[in-house]
Amino acid sequence: MLLSLLAVAPMLAQPAQPAPIISPEVHADRTVTFRFRDPNAKEVLLSREGAQKSAMQKDEQGVWSITTDALDPDIYRYTFLADGVASIDPNNSLTTPNMLNTQSAFHVPGPASLVWEINDVPRGEVHRHFYRSSIVGDDRDFFVYTPPGYDPAAKKQYPVLYLFHGYSDFANAWTALGYANVILDNLIARGQAKPMIVVMPLGYGAPDFVTRNATGLRDPILRQRNYEKFRDALFTEVMPQVEKTYRVAKDRNSRAIAGLSMGGAESLYVGLNALDRFAWIASFSAGGASEDFAATFPSLDSSANAKLRLLWIACGIGDGQIASNRKFKDWLTSKDVKFTPVETPGGHTWLVWRRNLAELAPLLF
């Protein structure tokens, strides 16, 4: 009997485990509660996409919490800042991929009419391809969305959208964060967009362009090398693979190019200097490029109007890139180049870019 008591004594002496934390907790009224255990922190802030940083409150168990106002249905990114140190939510397995800044994410569900909501519609497929880039000198990947009903053995050919991510993103950003495949599925099912193939390549021609302190963005020589080698890899490596593997139309009227932030600058740089390849060009919050537009687009003038089916330039009015985007639009006007200007509420976030894609896709092809 004594031995039995001695055997269980260590178990009885163990301290009680803290209660499990639920975070984030999305409520029926679309408010969201976040919780973060850190008894030793002096201050914890919630940093949420599309909002100012907010102070959290600590309880007697050392758990910090905050409940938001009702949020619009969408997918949001967030982190906790504990005494200035950023942390993902340890109680949330949903994270967003990024080379420099992994964040947690949550979904506030909305009606089926929202194009990023997964609906009971025919679904396309997302394919991942790996290859060795002789242009860049590394191993890399690209993703391809094929629409519902795509048959690689059929004779039907599809138009293709080349869609670029932003600075520090991976090649899967447009599916992992932008829900591009879901948006296309819904728009195609509604008859609002033509079935198309979407190609999403890795957007770096110079991998050392991506640095935590953003020195690459401020280095004009490295920035230009990044854009040029990205263009060369796109033209000589990605596009030939896509056109060999998939049933895509190869004429310029069946090719579109678009991107966000860094990818928006790349879509303009590549597309407007290659009007023999692309008739549809769009940028979302283009940023990080030189504002010497005459040097960047040396041949661009009013003669481009006869070749362009669409030049679509979007940016949120709360975006830090709005000034440079307006300068570019002013320069286009001075060159008599026609374009569609789009300014929407919002900042430099996926909350804007998902909506940009949803608005652009029905205009293509």
Side-chain angles (χ1 to χ4, degrees), residues 249-328:
K250 301 175 184 178
D251 62 288
R252 61 181 301 278
N253 287 322
S254 299
R255 289 199 197 109
I257 188 171
L260 69 90
S261 193
M262 177 194 76
E266 289 173 336
S267 67
L268 295 172
Y269 171 71
V270 174
L272 290 173
N273 286 308
L275 293 177
D276 58 323
R277 296 175 185 261
F278 302 99
W280 313 80
I281 301 170
S283 68
F284 314 153
S285 308
S290 168
E291 292 187 5
D292 186 350
F293 305 125
T296 304
F297 308 102
S299 302
L300 191 62
D301 56 29
S302 60
S303 65
N305 296 328
K307 299 177 182 179
L308 282 166
R309 300 289 298 276
L310 180 68
L311 175 55
W312 199 84
I313 301 173
C315 193
I317 57 176
D319 193 320
Q321 300 299 326
I322 189 68
S324 61
N325 274 260
R326 287 171 175 169
K327 286 180 183 178
F328 180 59

Side-chain angles (χ1 to χ4, degrees), residues 145 161 168 250 276 304 316:
Y145 164 83
L161 166 63
S168 79
K250 301 175 184 178
D276 58 323

Side-chain angles (χ1 to χ4, degrees), residues 127 146 186 192 198 212 257 314 342 354 359:
H127 314 261
T146 53
N186 287 329
Q192 295 175 344
V198 182
R212 188 163 295 280
I257 188 171
V342 179
R354 277 189 288 272
E359 187 177 347

Side-chain angles (χ1 to χ4, degrees), residues 2 30 51 57 67 103 125 176 192 251 319 335 339 343:
L2 178 60
R30 303 204 313 272
Q57 302 300 316
T67 299
Q103 295 178 284
E125 296 183 2
Q192 295 175 344
D251 62 288
D319 193 320
K335 303 293 286 186
F339 60 93
E343 293 190 0

